[in-house]
Amino acid sequence: AVNDAILNYTSNNTAVSRLVSTDFSGNFRDVYSLNQTGTWIVWASWNGSETYFAASSDYLKLAVKKILMSVTCNITSSSITIGENITATGQVYPIVENLTVTVTFIASNSTIEQTAYTDSNGTYLVSWKPDSMELWRVHAYIAEDASRSAAYSNSTSFKVTDTWLNQYMLYIIGGV
């Protein structure tokens, strides 16, 4: 006969009991996403019937860890002219939609942070216009949260140069 069993999930200050139906052999199945990291204890119990006594299983102890994340960061060009935008794109793994990605641009005397959010493919895009002619480094970062680990991309660099006209004028005026 089909009966109901109770599955109990406990961790720290969290306790969840779920009612599951058994099949004719007394087997059952439950799919439940544990909502916090740490040690969880799971066990099944059955209240019994007029014919059979109540019973419970042994405790099953398991560890829930943070999801290991990774993030990539690519730029549209290794060299741009002052006044142009540089675009940084990348993807997070595993794919998560609407995850905050911080893209950091670093030069000798400047650090600029831009925030992006991943789309349904886990990709992000940031476009930014540097204000100084020098070498810039850029990397992406995902902050740690309750269920995910922090992740940093590799750093890549690009150079911001003067405009062609300014370079040409300097050449003429300088008499080179």
Side-chain angles (χ1 to χ4, degrees):
V2 176
N3 291 293
D4 290 329
I6 299 171
L7 280 177
N8 302 285
Y9 300 85
T10 62
S11 177
N12 297 330
N13 297 328
T14 302
V16 176
S17 294
R18 294 173 49 89
L19 192 62
V20 293
S21 294
T22 62
D23 63 18
F24 288 101
S25 300
N27 296 316
F28 58 87
R29 176 186 163 131
D30 187 39
V31 177
Y32 179 64
S33 293
L34 303 173
N35 61 1
Q36 68 185 41
T37 58
T39 302
W40 284 81
I41 298 174
V42 181
W43 75 97
S45 60
W46 181 60
N47 291 331
S49 68
E50 292 179 8
T51 310
Y52 299 101
F53 291 110
S56 65
S57 71
D58 289 336
Y59 294 113
L60 174 65
K61 187 175 179 181
L62 54 105
V64 176
K65 297 183 179 185
K66 291 188 178 198
I67 298 167
L68 293 176
M69 299 296 295
S70 67
V71 61
T72 62
C73 184
N74 303 297
I75 53 175
T76 51
S77 179
S78 60
S79 179
I80 64 169
T81 302
I82 191 77
E84 293 181 334
N85 282 351
I86 188 79
T87 300
T89 61
Q91 188 169 17
V92 299
Y93 301 97
I95 293 171
V96 177
E97 185 175 7
N98 206 32
L99 186 65
T100 303
V101 178
T102 303
V103 179
T104 306
F105 298 89
I106 302 168
S108 59
N109 292 316
S110 299
T111 299
I112 306 296
E113 289 187 344
Q114 298 285 317
T115 301
Y117 299 93
T118 56
D119 63 17
S120 61
N121 296 318
T123 60
Y124 69 89
L125 180 142
V126 166
S127 189
W128 175 70
K129 188 183 297 185
D131 59 0
S132 62
M133 294 180 294
E134 58 187 312
L135 185 66
W136 288 83
R137 289 186 334 243
V138 59
H139 70 269
Y141 166 72
I142 302 169
E144 179 177 17
D145 64 20
S147 62
R148 288 181 279 272
S149 65
Y152 293 88
S153 72
N154 287 334
S155 181
T156 188
S157 61
F158 64 96
K159 186 172 184 171
V160 179
T161 59
D162 205 352
T163 63
W164 175 84
L165 184 58
N166 282 350
Q167 290 176 7
Y168 183 70
M169 293 299 287
L170 183 63
Y171 179 77
I172 293 173
I173 294 169
V176 180

